[in-house]
Amino acid sequence: MEKIRRASHAGSWYTDNPKKLAEELDGWLSASGLVKSADVRGVIAPHAGYSYSGRAAAYAFGNIDPTSITRVFLLGPSHHYYTPKCALSRATVYKTPIGDLPIDLEVIEELKATGKFEAMDLQVDEAEHSMEMHLPYLAKVFYGYPVKVVPILVGAVSAENEAMYGRLLAKYVDDPNNFFSVSSDFCHWGSRFNFTHYDKKHGDVHKSIEALDRMGMDIIETGDPEAFKHYLSEYDNTICGRHPISVFLHESNSSEYMKKLQLLHL
């Protein structure tokens, strides 16, 4: 039986008008000036509302060559639901205003069989925005191509389990038909986030925040999950996708195919 995850944030975090949404995405992708490349096997992209992050996200999705990709693993952090594990969607279809994305149920069953994942209720799935904000871009980039998605909600996973999930997913990285879309915003600064790190040597507060984020991004580019762990331990930067990124770094570290990571836009 079909279980549909609604585009629950359409109309608020981004427009629910199909024509307007398609035009916005096309415009941002075109403005990025990026060339599609089969060498691009994964991206880290933001998940804020499109008025804030839509243009920046195009610098991730604009590189994707859809011709040989048949499956997208979507890793996002959990903002509202606590779990110390990773959770798999119960849905069979993810809807967007510009086209639906079917779930790869075969891979979901493979992952479920490991005993390492929990099942995510549809209510939790629809409340979470981190993966949904990638869906319209994926629907646009893969329009006309038979792609399926594997949504994985990454909870408050321990460092040990980040490595475990990375090793478990590494075999999928080694398949050139697979792609990884990792969802993360970076520094959330201010008293309401209980984070007010300020290094005055960089000048204004926003420059200090940018320097802290760039430091983290430079470390992510090395592909070293241990270095990223040490960075988070030292600075405690409020990167909401720290766990999905860490899992992704462990995957990449265990793979022969995904060795180079590059920052394209901040």
Side-chain angles (χ1 to χ4, degrees), residues 5 8-10 12-14 25 28 43-61 74-80 125-138 152-155 181-188 193 217 238-245 265:
R5 183 204 183 275
S8 51
H9 292 75
S12 53
W13 290 58
Y14 58 99
L25 297 176
W28 293 331
V43 296
I44 299 172
H47 55 241
Y50 278 1
S51 61
Y52 303 101
S53 74
R55 288 173 178 81
Y59 285 86
F61 297 105
L74 184 53
L75 277 63
S78 180
H79 287 85
H80 310 292
D125 203 343
E126 291 185 344
E128 180 54 57
H129 65 272
S130 68
M131 293 187 285
E132 180 176 340
M133 300 308 292
H134 284 208
L135 298 178
Y137 263 114
L138 293 173
I152 302 174
L153 186 73
V154 182
S181 189
V182 181
S183 180
S184 182
D185 292 331
F186 274 68
C187 183
H188 293 58
F193 300 109
M217 292 173 187
T238 49
I239 300 172
C240 55
R242 60 174 64 192
H243 297 300
I245 291 172
H265 190 67

Side-chain angles (χ1 to χ4, degrees), residues 68-132:
S68 62
I69 297 167
T70 57
R71 185 183 297 113
V72 176
F73 286 79
L74 184 53
L75 277 63
S78 180
H79 287 85
H80 310 292
Y81 172 72
Y82 175 78
T83 174
K85 295 183 176 182
C86 287
L88 302 170
S89 178
R90 295 178 189 264
T92 60
V93 176
Y94 270 18
K95 295 190 76 67
T96 86
I98 56 173
D100 300 341
L101 293 163
I103 306 297
D104 193 321
L105 301 178
E106 183 179 340
V107 172
I108 292 289
E109 288 302 319
E110 281 181 9
L111 295 176
K112 196 183 298 183
T114 66
K116 302 297 184 182
F117 295 82
E118 67 176 74
M120 175 174 35
D121 289 343
L122 194 59
Q123 183 179 3
V124 171
D125 203 343
E126 291 185 344
E128 180 54 57
H129 65 272
S130 68
M131 293 187 285
E132 180 176 340

Side-chain angles (χ1 to χ4, degrees), residues 210-225:
E210 181 179 342
L212 184 65
D213 277 348
R214 283 192 179 276
M215 188 190 312
M217 292 173 187
D218 287 346
I219 290 169
I220 290 169
E221 282 189 310
T222 70
D224 185 345

